[in-house]
Amino acid sequence: MDSPGGGLIITERFAEDFKAEGLTGLNGFHPVEVKRVRRKGRGPKPGPPPRYLYVTLAYGHAALDMERSRILRKKPPECTWCRYAGPDAIDGLALEEGTWNGEDVFRPRGMWGVVIVSERFRRFAERHAMSHMAMVPMEKYVWDPLGLLPPQP
């Protein structure tokens, strides 16, 4: 779950498994206080919630390759470091060679709203049956809220 500060809220169990596997890219692991839990409809009263932690994602090393990424935008990025210029549509992303330090979870410069994960994290998610996220290969990532891209075959 995304949070307003750009971090994520994760369960303590996820954090333990993430650390035990030696995965990288999440920082902080600060406890979150759950103030109230509502039950669904007239179902049974819920038990105590799991313990949650707030984490931030690695940002700053990995950068999008602006030549190889297929990003439609009205204007080029103004900042050569962050590379962000608000895309109108995306039809595939690529990282610039030599910028990724091997983090397993991160937000790349040029597209801070997108979370990218490594192949190691993908296998971790499969082993732990994490079905609450969609993982799409970077080169096949499509975002087109305005319908600007040609129809996909």
Side-chain angles (χ1 to χ4, degrees):
M1 169 172 23
D2 261 328
S3 68
L8 300 172
I9 304 292
I10 62 173
T11 64
E12 187 174 59
R13 188 177 117 216
F14 173 87
E16 290 168 358
D17 293 343
F18 184 88
K19 291 175 182 178
E21 298 250 354
L23 297 173
T24 62
L26 297 180
N27 303 299
F29 297 94
H30 301 289
V32 172
E33 181 182 356
V34 176
K35 293 282 192 177
R36 186 170 130 197
V37 177
R38 293 185 189 186
R39 64 179 157 183
K40 281 187 168 181
R42 296 181 180 252
K45 188 173 181 177
R51 292 176 48 162
Y52 291 100
L53 303 169
Y54 175 80
V55 295
T56 55
L57 286 80
Y59 176 77
H61 297 290
L64 288 184
D65 184 321
M66 303 314 273
E67 300 297 318
R68 293 186 4 217
S69 294
R70 295 178 309 277
I71 302 172
L72 295 178
R73 60 178 107 223
K74 292 181 178 103
K75 59 182 182 170
E78 293 178 16
C79 174
T80 57
W81 188 83
C82 75
R83 303 178 184 195
Y84 187 74
D88 294 316
I90 301 168
D91 188 21
L93 298 172
L95 291 179
E96 184 177 300
E97 293 289 325
T99 62
W100 178 48
N101 288 344
E103 300 92 348
D104 294 299
V105 182
F106 61 96
R107 294 185 196 266
R109 288 184 285 140
M111 196 60 53
W112 62 267
V114 174
V115 176
I116 296 179
V117 300
S118 67
E119 181 64 23
R120 269 181 8 133
F121 183 90
R122 187 192 64 75
R123 290 190 305 268
F124 165 78
E126 284 178 357
R127 279 194 309 279
H128 291 275
M130 295 178 188
S131 59
H132 61 285
M133 60 182 88
M135 288 190 252
V136 177
M138 287 181 61
E139 64 277 2
K140 295 183 186 213
Y141 177 77
V142 174
W143 181 78
D144 188 19
L146 303 175
L148 300 173
L149 298 173
Q152 301 291 323

